[in-house]
């Protein structure tokens, strides 16, 4: 059974940092790319960052470059998203996702999703 379980969300103030984690199980993840997405109320789910499980190459959307860092810890089957200099517009439910092959920005290209974790940034 494939499982992606996020944790680490919460309520913070603008300028603060927060680290999200996603523990994955149920597959041999070496063939997969992982992604972080987010969805704010009334908006579509959008790509935040992606990483290859093997090799570790990364991709970021423009609005988080320089502030967010995606990483993975192979031995723990865990994915992380370090978020610094948070802004109120970063408020959303954050999801981790997995797809076979390279990371992609299109939500429809991902096969597996976690349940999401809420991040709220107050001004």
């Amino acid at each position: 059974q494939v499982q992606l379980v996020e944790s680490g969300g919460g309520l913070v103030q603008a300028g603060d940092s927060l680290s999200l984690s996603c523990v994955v199980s149920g597959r041999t993840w070496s063939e997969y790319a992982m992604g972080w997405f987010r969805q704010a109320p009334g908006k579509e789910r959008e790509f935040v960052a992606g990483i290859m499980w093997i090799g570790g190459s990364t991709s970021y959307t423009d609005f988080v470059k320089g502030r967010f860092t995606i990483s993975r810890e192979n031995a723990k089957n865990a994915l992380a998203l370090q978020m610094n200099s948070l802004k109120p517009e970063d408020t959303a439910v954050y999801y981790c996702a997995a797809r076979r092959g390279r990371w992609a920005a299109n939500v429809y290209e991902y096969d597996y999703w976690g349940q999401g974790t809420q991040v709220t940034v107050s001004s």
Side-chain angles (χ1 to χ4, degrees):
Q1 181 182 0
V2 175
Q3 283 192 313
L4 287 73
V5 181
E6 302 100 333
S7 62
L11 172 63
V12 296
Q13 293 186 331
D16 285 352
S17 297
L18 202 60
S19 182
L20 305 182
S21 178
C22 175
V23 177
V24 301
S25 61
R27 280 288 182 272
T28 302
W29 296 103
S30 59
E31 299 177 349
Y32 284 76
M34 308 298 297
W36 283 101
F37 289 76
R38 69 186 187 188
Q39 188 166 18
K43 295 187 177 182
E44 294 185 349
R45 194 169 298 187
E46 60 183 1
F47 176 77
V48 174
I51 189 168
M52 296 299 298
W53 202 262
I54 297 297
S57 65
T58 59
S59 176
Y60 297 90
T61 193
D62 286 345
F63 52 77
V64 304
K65 280 182 181 176
R67 298 191 298 125
F68 291 11
T69 302
I70 188 172
S71 63
R72 84 272 184 260
E73 191 167 355
N74 290 0
K76 295 184 178 181
N77 273 1
L79 179 71
L81 185 68
Q82 176 65 40
M83 304 184 294
N84 299 327
S85 302
L86 282 162
K87 305 175 181 180
E89 51 265 42
D90 294 319
T91 295
V93 177
Y94 284 71
Y95 299 89
C96 67
R99 71 179 300 269
R100 189 182 295 271
R102 288 191 62 80
W103 38 256
N106 189 330
V107 300
Y108 299 106
E109 296 191 50
Y110 283 77
D111 304 306
Y112 304 107
W113 291 86
Q115 82 289 350
T117 186
Q118 176 71 47
V119 172
T120 303
V121 185
S122 63
S123 57

